[in-house]
Amino acid sequence: MKRYFFLTLLFWSFYVSNAQTNLGYEKLIAEASLLHLQKDYKNAILKLEKAFLLKEPDALNAYKAAGMYSLAQNEAKAFKYLNIALNKGWTEAEQLSIDPYFEFLRAKYPYKWQTIKQNAQLKEQQYEKKLKLPELRKQINAMGIADQKIRYWKIQTSDPTLSNEIQQKINDLDFKNLSTAKEILKNNGWPKISEIGKDGAHNFWLIVQHADQDILFQKAALHEMDKLKGTKELDMENYAFLYDRVQCNLNYKQVYGTQVNWTQNGEASSFRGIIKENEADKRRNEFGLLPLKIYALNYGFKYTIPTAEEALKKDKEDTESTLNLINEAKKYYEAKEFQKVYDNYNNASMILGGMTSEQNFEASELFAKIYNQTNEEQYRSISLDFLSLNYLRGDLDKKVLLSNKEFNTFYSENRWKDIVDSL
């Protein structure tokens, strides 16, 4: 069973939610975001200029516009938008100090830069006085900066060897951040905005969002976020992203449409499966998120929300396709064409929201039977994949599992022990 995990847009994507009043502005900001990710900075700036004629940027978009102008070596505009960002409430002085986008300003205009830096530090000190847990905010923001900095390095390199080395560093950092995030969640629950600020809350979410290696932790974090729903202590955009992330990681369809499909060349092509897709914009609107047709522009594809009939048809087709693949797999099993059984079930498992937990368990049992006949490791492995998914979903019964004799040959397998010991 193949597992696919996707990164959210990086920190440098432009902020395009929580502002439903001017879709023309949001459309231009989304288009600038895509151009930026494509490293077409010249045209990204043109889009920004048009957007800012319609509406003044908030702190985050002004900060990012400043970075774009710094890359373009436009000193006047870069400092102009940095000042706007600070006046609008930008609070992360440390991020400003190490941000690679501002290397040009730091090198060429050290005195003007020092003034900006001091202003940023002063504003951050004033902001921290309003927070209940300022030291925790500093710790979390440092984790977030490290997270984004190393990912920035990766997207800047075209050397495959170096890219692989950086990816290993990303994996190591994610594991370290995960351990710290677990302690924070255990001691504080989901940190409140009044405790660590909007930036701290966003950076904590970023760490959790990248913790795909521990889906149970993501579920626990989401549970803690649920306790703050309906209050001003939680960013509902972050909640929507994590909710969809967990849904997709459990092979369910997403709810808010925050997750996309990626092609092999690294381009987004469409949204991953959305349950009752015709109602997605309504759900997004309740959280202050923009319509999917605008959000899709960040990724470079066009989107039209389906009608109720079209959405129902799509959900039925996914269910039918899954069932057809499973039925074909069972026929191949009777014919002892085990590789085709594997292929069919593998394809069925990649239909988001397709296989039920009952079907997952049935598949795991079938592959255990094949393993017992062939002793080929791929069949035991995929059997354990299906069992692991059910375990993560919370849909695995220990007594039922241990009473099934087909799994007896798995008892020495570490993955089996991990599942059973955790039930």
Side-chain angles (χ1 to χ4, degrees), residues 341-359:
V341 177
Y342 182 99
D343 293 340
N344 272 49
Y345 263 113
N346 192 51
N347 289 333
S349 74
M350 289 189 287
I351 298 175
L352 208 62
M355 291 182 66
T356 65
S357 293
E358 183 179 356
Q359 289 168 333

Side-chain angles (χ1 to χ4, degrees), residues 224-392:
E224 293 300 318
M225 292 180 95
D226 272 320
K227 297 177 182 179
L228 300 177
K229 282 180 67 176
T231 74
K232 295 182 179 180
E233 298 286 9
L234 181 67
D235 185 323
M236 294 309 298
E237 181 184 22
N238 290 347
Y239 177 86
F241 265 90
L242 184 58
Y243 189 93
D244 281 351
R245 186 83 156 209
V246 170
Q247 288 292 102
C248 290
N249 283 345
L250 295 176
N251 210 40
Y252 294 126
K253 289 189 175 182
Q254 60 179 322
V255 173
Y256 303 103
T258 63
Q259 310 294 296
V260 299
N261 290 310
W262 298 93
T263 62
Q264 289 186 343
N265 60 3
E267 295 180 356
S269 59
S270 59
F271 290 113
R272 303 192 76 188
I274 305 173
I275 190 70
K276 295 183 179 178
E277 190 171 347
N278 59 299
E279 299 177 5
D281 275 351
K282 180 180 177 181
R283 296 190 291 264
R284 290 175 65 85
N285 184 58
E286 291 173 353
F287 284 2
L289 304 181
L290 289 166
L292 286 174
K293 69 177 182 180
I294 301 296
Y295 179 57
L297 297 177
N298 286 275
Y299 296 96
F301 62 85
K302 293 183 179 181
Y303 173 83
T304 301
I305 199 156
T307 65
E309 291 77 14
E310 291 170 337
L312 180 61
K313 180 181 178 182
K314 186 182 294 187
D315 286 343
K316 285 185 176 180
E317 286 175 349
D318 287 343
T319 300
E320 289 173 359
S321 295
T322 302
L323 191 57
N324 288 338
L325 286 165
I326 290 174
N327 288 336
E328 285 295 313
K330 291 178 179 178
K331 291 179 181 178
Y332 286 128
Y333 175 76
E334 295 300 327
K336 297 190 179 298
E337 296 185 58
F338 297 144
Q339 183 59 51
K340 290 182 178 179
V341 177
Y342 182 99
D343 293 340
N344 272 49
Y345 263 113
N346 192 51
N347 289 333
S349 74
M350 289 189 287
I351 298 175
L352 208 62
M355 291 182 66
T356 65
S357 293
E358 183 179 356
Q359 289 168 333
N360 287 336
F361 189 84
E362 186 179 55
S364 68
E365 183 181 31
L366 186 64
F367 281 114
K369 291 179 179 179
I370 296 175
Y371 172 75
N372 292 333
Q373 295 176 53
T374 66
N375 204 36
E376 293 182 26
E377 181 55 34
Q378 68 166 340
Y379 300 118
R380 178 167 64 176
S381 180
I382 194 172
S383 177
L384 288 168
D385 283 342
F386 282 113
L387 288 179
S388 295
L389 180 57
N390 273 12
Y391 165 68
L392 293 171

Side-chain angles (χ1 to χ4, degrees), residues 397-412:
D397 186 285
K398 187 173 184 177
K399 290 183 178 179
V400 172
L401 190 60
L402 293 176
S403 65
N404 193 312
K405 295 182 180 180
E406 299 297 340
F407 297 120
N408 288 355
T409 54
F410 289 9
Y411 284 9
S412 61

